[in-house]
Amino acid sequence: ISNSEFKITRDGDTVLTGTLAGTDTVVIDTTTQPERTYTYKAFYLSNGQVSDTSQPLQVTTLDTTSNNFTWQTYTFGGNAGSAVLNDVAIINDTDIWAVGDIPLKDSSANGYTVYNLVEWNGRNWAIQKVPYYYQGTALYSGINWLFAFSENDIWLGNSVRWDGHSFNNADIGLSIFLHIGTRKMWGYSESAIWVVGYQGTIGYSSSAGTSWTQLSTGTTLDFDDVWGVSDSLTGQPEIVAVASDEFTDNGVAVIQLSGTQATMLQTAGLPTTSIVGVWSANGKEWFVCGDGLYMTRDLNQPWQQISNVPSIFLEAIRGTGPNDIFAVGNGAVLHFNGSRWLDLRSQISAPSLLLYALAVKGNTIAAVGTSTAGGYVAGSAIILLGKRN
């Protein structure tokens, strides 16, 4: 009942008192310990006296996850100009894809050939060329992103789709993003796909990419990431995209997506310079990274900066659950195990590197980017492949 007083106890001790804000009020207890079972009860108060009570509810908290990983480093290219990997997807432990721009020196007329995909089979990486066909001619270019629904349905940012047997041209918002460019894709089925790009542009398809609608976003900032989850209470998808003009002071934008609707959300607490990554495990906590790392438990409330992490630019954030979150950026891999954030750089034996994207599945993490020499001078494309011990 709205405006009614209540209290909540945990194992008999009062942990919260307050006034109900509406018919549904979400309460989050942030003082619990990992892998513990607690008993909660809610009490309805009238004039300070208990007039009704709930049945006891037992809750067991998640355990922390291990921070101990074994890492392997793989490099590609660097002998014919700068090489980079921009995105990665883990299908399973024996099928990992990473895309980018990898020129390899050879005896061709140009002196090099551009490759744009490397694929892991559980033992080694195979480097490939994925073409986009224009008027019957195969064109090869760098790829910004990929999104995998399954091993037989993978979408790539050069407007190509893998069907389990071959690569084929795909309309990934070509009429919308022509001369603009795309940055990321997210979807929960072929009937609900969002692609975000530069200049405030978002495209939506409910027809497996056969037709696209451009969304009105209310911003001209460049979108860098989009992520969605299924709300644990309603079962409805909750999709969020983030935008900024990196390393400027032009402000930032956080957009909530639903079909062809794009709603501008508040950005209080976020930097005005750069936000480039967004992720949530279940819609109860949302994380944003870029010029710092930020979290909120309510998209309508201000974001809070996470201060106990290194002061580096973070390019991407992903995880497997609320107790297993990773962020990567300028030479670093950070991990939240459910209790604290840890810098994993001491575990990694690799050259100086910039990491732009990551994927996590089970006990496997893959992070991709480029190696560096003397600051931000790019060299070889790089993959860090980590296995939790």
Side-chain angles (χ1 to χ4, degrees):
I1 303 173
S2 182
N3 297 321
S4 297
E5 295 180 355
F6 72 94
K7 76 172 181 178
I8 295 176
T9 64
R10 184 184 68 203
D11 295 341
D13 297 324
T14 299
V15 293
L16 180 67
T17 59
T19 302
L20 294 176
T23 55
D24 292 312
T25 299
V26 177
V27 175
I28 299 175
D29 187 355
T30 61
T31 63
T32 58
Q33 297 298 311
E35 202 178 17
R36 288 272 301 274
T37 298
Y38 298 95
T39 300
Y40 290 88
K41 290 185 70 174
F43 298 84
Y44 171 57
L45 307 179
S46 178
N47 297 321
Q49 301 299 313
V50 174
S51 62
D52 200 2
T53 182
S54 70
Q55 293 295 316
L57 174 66
Q58 279 199 337
V59 174
T60 301
T61 56
L62 294 172
D63 193 7
T64 56
T65 54
S66 172
N67 286 316
N68 188 11
F69 289 80
T70 298
W71 299 89
Q72 293 174 286
T73 304
Y74 303 89
T75 58
F76 309 86
N79 63 356
S82 299
V84 63
L85 286 168
N86 297 313
D87 204 2
V88 60
I90 300 174
I91 315 302
N92 55 57
D93 283 349
T94 60
D95 194 7
I96 302 174
W97 292 39
V99 295
D101 189 346
I102 307 172
L104 294 183
K105 189 175 181 179
D106 57 23
S107 59
S108 64
N110 290 331
Y112 66 90
T113 298
V114 173
Y115 294 81
N116 50 19
L117 168 68
V118 292
E119 185 178 359
W120 174 254
N121 64 8
R123 298 178 302 278
N124 50 55
W125 295 93
I127 189 164
Q128 302 180 47
K129 297 185 297 179
V130 177
Y132 175 82
Y133 288 93
Y134 179 72
Q135 297 181 349
T137 300
L139 304 178
Y140 300 94
S141 61
I143 301 176
N144 277 343
W145 58 264
L146 78 164
F147 185 85
F149 284 109
S150 71
E151 61 183 341
N152 298 320
D153 191 7
I154 302 175
W155 301 56
L156 297 94
N158 60 338
S159 291
V160 171
R161 187 177 180 184
W162 169 256
D163 63 8
H165 303 284
S166 60
F167 294 100
N168 303 284
N169 283 12
D171 179 359
I172 304 181
L174 293 178
S175 61
I176 296 172
F177 293 101
L178 186 64
H179 306 307
I180 295 176
T182 59
R183 289 291 292 125
K184 278 289 192 299
M185 169 178 158
W186 188 87
Y188 56 86
S189 73
E190 289 186 342
S191 61
I193 298 169
W194 291 263
V195 174
V196 303
Y198 297 97
Q199 300 176 23
T201 309
I202 298 179
Y204 170 74
S205 176
S206 60
S207 57
T210 59
S211 63
W212 291 84
T213 300
Q214 183 171 347
L215 278 58
S216 176
T217 64
T219 183
T220 59
L221 298 170
D222 294 336
F223 282 99
D224 273 292
D225 200 12
V226 58
W227 185 260
V229 295
S230 177
D231 186 276
S232 59
L233 289 179
T234 66
Q236 296 299 308
E238 190 170 12
I239 305 103
V240 174
V242 294
S244 63
D245 292 337
E246 282 191 56
F247 311 120
T248 71
D249 200 23
N250 293 341
V252 299
V254 180
I255 306 291
Q256 189 165 17
L257 304 174
S258 178
T260 58
Q261 300 299 310
T263 303
M264 185 84 71
L265 300 178
Q266 59 81 33
T267 58
L270 293 175
T272 58
T273 49
S274 300
I275 55 173
V276 296
V278 60
W279 182 82
S280 177
N282 50 25
K284 298 306 173 190
E285 293 178 326
W286 281 92
F287 294 86
V288 160
C289 70
D291 190 5
L293 182 60
Y294 303 84
M295 185 269 288
T296 186
R297 293 190 173 93
D298 185 341
L299 290 170
N300 297 309
Q301 296 296 321
W303 295 79
Q304 304 296 321
Q305 185 170 9
I306 298 172
S307 58
N308 57 336
V309 295
S311 298
I312 57 174
F313 193 87
L314 295 169
E315 296 278 359
I317 183 166
R318 293 292 186 262
T320 66
N323 63 338
D324 194 26
I325 307 170
F326 297 83
V328 299
N330 185 6
V333 178
L334 310 181
H335 180 228
F336 180 70
N337 69 349
S339 177
R340 64 190 181 100
W341 286 91
L342 184 70
D343 186 345
L344 302 183
R345 278 180 286 190
S346 62
Q347 298 180 7
I348 300 168
S349 176
S352 299
L353 49 87
L354 294 171
L355 297 172
Y356 295 125
L358 77 155
V360 191
K361 193 164 189 176
N363 292 318
T364 301
I365 173 175
V368 299
T370 186
S371 61
T372 61
Y376 284 81
V377 179
S380 303
I382 193 166
I383 297 176
L384 292 180
L385 188 60
K387 290 285 188 178
R388 198 190 320 259
N389 296 322

